[in-house]
Amino acid sequence: MSKNIVEIQNVGMKYQSINGEINAIENISFSVEKGSFVSIVGPSGCGKSTLLSIISGLLKPSSGKVFIDGEEVTKTSDKVGYMLQKDYLFDWRTIYQNVILGLEIRKNLNPENKDYALNLLKTYGLYDFKDKYPSQLSGGMRQRAALIRTLAVKPEILLLDEAFSALDSQTRLAVTEDIYSIIKNENKTAIMVTHDISESISMSDRVVVLSKRPAVIKNIHQIVFDCPNRTPLKCREHPSFREYFNLIWKELDVHV
Amino acid sequence: MSKAIENISAERIAYLKKMKVRRIATWILRLLIVVLLFASWEIAADLKLIDSFVTSQPSRMVKTLINLYTNGNLLLHIGVTCLETVAGFIIGTILGTIVAIVLWWSEFTSHVLEPYLVVLNSLPKVALGPIFIIWIGAGPAAIIAMALAISLIVTILEVLNAFLQTDQDKIKLVETFGANRLQVFLKVVFPSNIPAMINALKVNVGLSWVGVITGEFLVSKAGLGYLIVYGGQVFHLDLVMTSVIILAAAAALMYQGVVLLQKKLSGGWFNHQP
């Protein structure tokens, strides 16, 4: 049996403000196996991103605990890499300078890590663009550069927070394919938050469905496709894709 | 590059030509306006259509200028005023930015001090002139203090506002790498606000001039503001007009200096903006 790299135990979060208290998430527990891909879906505003921020250590939960590799999360961990909704490459830095940002902040900018970053750029076809500025790259390339920036600090777990939502739908499919293959190639564990049911099914081994606020876990689906070398696009064409989709769609109980 | 030139279409050539003509015409007209203005001023004074005692006259201004220069006083007056302005500008910019950084750092401090900033910002700073003179003494230091009083609060508010409007997600990004407050400032807040800060500098140059001339009006023994006030008191309009024109030229030059600085500083990534 594979080892659980992330353990989330009874996590709850209440936001305080002058106007009152918001109960964002309640009593969430699940675990993530090493090397697997887990998605969290739920209605918008249900606290999905809050959950991700708690796992990363950016936010302290009001109750419950998160463990990474058996250690309780109290601050941002070096084992975790985070990808945000947009690439947020800095305009004033070249692609290479952007990619080594995390190393700079963690004060790990040694020759070995620089080489590692350059190799990632080589492997994923951005080496020739390393001295260009972000505005000179296409949306898909920028997203890839953002992923390399995250990978450069050698995280074991990737947290993707609606990481593709800023892209148009065609680019989104291509970038999903691209990022998925990089994550699998680098053998990373991934936890992704999305509002897109198809995206979550096409990429994940497990889908966690959350209710509306205060979010609790409605169900956790094992996603199994009997297709070798699965990719998100292949999954979308698989006959059982529809079944999973309908199941989760009903569970989400979307009303207009 | 040469390949590009060979491939230029006829429309493109026509367009470039049109733009060139337009540029030249703009400059000719600009020169013409100033020449016509001064010429009609000169002629009107010669024909006694206007009283040159109260309006002065370009030829008399030139004489005043030469007089000032041969006395050796011209450069002194220009130098004193420019020095005071540059000092006020630099101190105001650095001090203002430092205070803005402190206020950005501590949201609580900034919240506590907010009403004081609002009051200081709306107070007409000229009113502080006599206080500075008594406290600091009648000299260049009091004039620089006047320039500071006028530019400092605006700098603080402008720069702080820019800092506070930094994209929160960019800050979140560096925080996911475990950045502390200093790193957030150095890696995101400061570099992303360089264009905003240079814009604050541009406003600051103008305000420093206002402060220095106001200061010189109140108390001074030299400087362009002194010449203007002195000329006014003895009804020597030639001196007043000459000084105003020198002042205009000096202020324009200094502004261009800041524009040049802006181009130099933002040379790297600014040019790569789409």
Side-chain angles (χ1 to χ4, degrees), chain A residues 8-202:
Chain A
I8 293 148
Q9 293 179 354
N10 310 316
V11 164
M13 184 71 194
K14 286 176 181 162
Y15 285 107
Q16 299 295 341
S17 79
I18 302 292
N19 298 327
E21 188 180 70
I22 294 166
N23 204 353
I25 53 178
E26 241 175 33
N27 203 20
I28 302 259
S29 299
F30 66 95
S31 51
V32 179
E33 284 176 13
K34 202 175 167 77
S36 69
F37 199 118
V38 173
S39 288
I40 301 165
V41 294
S44 45
C46 79
K48 297 178 297 248
S49 294
T50 300
L51 186 54
L52 217 54
S53 290
I54 290 171
I55 297 171
S56 75
L58 281 174
L59 269 181
K60 213 178 130 50
S62 320
S63 56
K65 285 173 182 173
V66 176
F67 294 91
I68 289 175
D69 263 348
E71 265 175 64
E72 191 181 341
V73 174
T74 50
K75 57 179 175 57
T76 53
S77 158
D78 285 0
K79 289 175 182 161
V80 174
Y82 207 102
M83 281 196 69
L84 297 156
Q85 304 187 355
K86 288 194 224 155
D87 53 62
Y88 295 114
L89 296 171
F90 292 168
D91 293 330
W92 58 89
R93 286 169 166 252
T94 63
I95 294 304
Y96 174 67
Q97 287 168 340
N98 266 296
V99 162
I100 61 169
L101 178 72
L103 294 172
E104 250 174 60
I105 289 169
R106 290 186 182 170
K107 302 197 164 65
N108 278 334
L109 204 58
N110 53 35
E112 185 197 335
N113 285 333
K114 279 185 192 170
D115 272 355
Y116 182 70
L118 285 172
N119 268 324
L120 284 171
L121 285 169
K122 259 180 216 157
T123 314
Y124 300 114
L126 284 177
Y127 189 79
D128 293 337
F129 296 89
K130 71 176 172 37
D131 296 321
K132 300 259 191 243
Y133 284 86
S135 58
Q136 295 167 298
L137 267 63
S138 69
M141 284 160 100
R142 291 175 63 121
Q143 205 70 32
R144 212 185 304 163
L147 178 60
I148 294 173
R149 177 181 59 198
T150 308
L151 292 175
V153 294
K154 301 180 184 164
E156 289 172 38
I157 304 152
L158 287 174
L159 304 179
L160 293 89
D161 187 357
E162 302 268 8
F164 315 110
S165 59
L167 301 166
D168 64 75
S169 56
Q170 278 91 341
T171 314
R172 185 170 180 153
L173 284 178
V175 170
T176 306
E177 198 78 357
D178 195 33
I179 302 289
Y180 181 84
S181 72
I182 296 174
I183 290 172
K184 286 295 159 196
N185 195 20
E186 299 288 332
N187 249 328
K188 304 292 183 193
T189 308
I191 304 174
M192 176 171 80
V193 154
T194 180
H195 59 263
D196 186 327
I197 302 173
S198 309
E199 191 172 87
S200 70
I201 300 168
S202 72

Side-chain angles (χ1 to χ4, degrees), chain B residues 182-244:
Chain B
L182 179 66
Q183 286 174 319
V184 168
F185 181 76
L186 291 177
K187 303 287 180 199
V188 187
V189 174
F190 194 81
S192 66
N193 282 302
I194 286 175
M197 283 187 282
I198 291 174
N199 273 334
L201 289 192
K202 280 181 175 170
V203 177
N204 238 350
V205 181
L207 290 178
S208 299
W209 280 106
V210 175
V212 164
I213 298 301
T214 312
E216 285 184 351
F217 278 9
L218 292 171
V219 54
S220 63
K221 297 182 188 72
L224 294 169
Y226 163 79
L227 286 184
I228 293 169
V229 161
Y230 172 76
Q233 281 164 351
V234 299
F235 237 82
H236 187 17
L237 262 294
D238 298 341
L239 188 59
V240 175
M241 292 290 188
T242 311
S243 307
V244 169

